[in-house]
C-alpha cells in the first residue's frame, strides 16, 4: 500500500473505531435509539470509505500489471483476481 493510501485508510478506520466506541458507551448509558443509530451510520460510512480507498489502490496497482506485463498468464491471473475482489466489494 502507498503511504497516502495508508494514511487515508487509517484515518477512516480510526474514525470508525471512535464512533463505534461512542456507540458502545451510548448503549451502556441507555441513550435513545435515534442517537445510537446516527453513530452507527457514521461507523458504516467510515468503514465504507476505507474499503473504497483500498479497492481504488488495488485497481491502480493492478492496472500497472495489466498494462506493463508482457506475460499473458500474468495479465489473465490479475484480471481474474480483480473480478473476485469486485465480487467481494459489491
Amino acid at each position: 500500500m502507498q503511504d497516502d493510501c495508508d494514511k487515508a485508510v487509517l484515518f477512516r478506520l480510526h474514525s470508525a473505531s471512535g464512533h463505534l466506541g461512542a456507540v458502545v458507551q451510548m448503549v451502556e448509558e441507555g441513550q435513545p435509539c435515534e442517537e445510537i443509530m446516527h453513530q452507527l451510520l457514521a461507523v458504516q460510512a467510515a468503514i465504507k470509505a476505507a474499503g473504497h480507498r483500498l479497492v481504488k489502490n488495488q485497481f491502480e496497482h493492478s492496472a500497472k500489471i495489466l498494462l506493463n506485463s508482457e506475460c499473458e498468464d500474468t495479465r489473465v491471473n490479475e484480471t481474474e483476481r480483480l473480478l473476485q475482489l469486485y465480487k467481494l466489494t459489491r
Side-chain angles (χ1 to χ4, degrees), residues 59 81-90:
F59 274 97
R81 197 173 67 73
L82 280 175
L83 290 172
Q84 289 302 315
L85 177 64
Y86 177 73
K87 287 178 187 176
L88 292 175
T89 60
R90 291 179 72 197

Side-chain angles (χ1 to χ4, degrees), residues 8-73:
V9 170
L10 284 173
F11 174 80
R12 293 301 183 180
L13 292 176
H14 283 295
S15 176
S17 177
H19 286 294
L20 187 56
V23 168
V24 170
Q25 184 176 357
M26 292 171 80
V27 171
E28 290 173 345
E29 294 172 354
Q31 295 288 324
C33 291
E34 181 179 345
E35 293 176 22
I36 295 169
M37 285 302 301
H38 180 74
Q39 287 295 321
L40 278 177
L41 291 173
V43 172
Q44 291 173 340
I47 290 172
K48 187 175 183 178
H52 283 193
R53 182 63 173 124
L54 286 168
V55 169
K56 180 181 183 284
N57 188 64
Q58 183 57 60
F59 274 97
E60 290 170 354
H61 172 76
S62 295
K64 291 175 186 173
I65 293 171
L66 294 172
L67 295 173
N68 298 322
S69 178
E70 294 180 16
C71 177
E72 183 178 351
D73 287 341

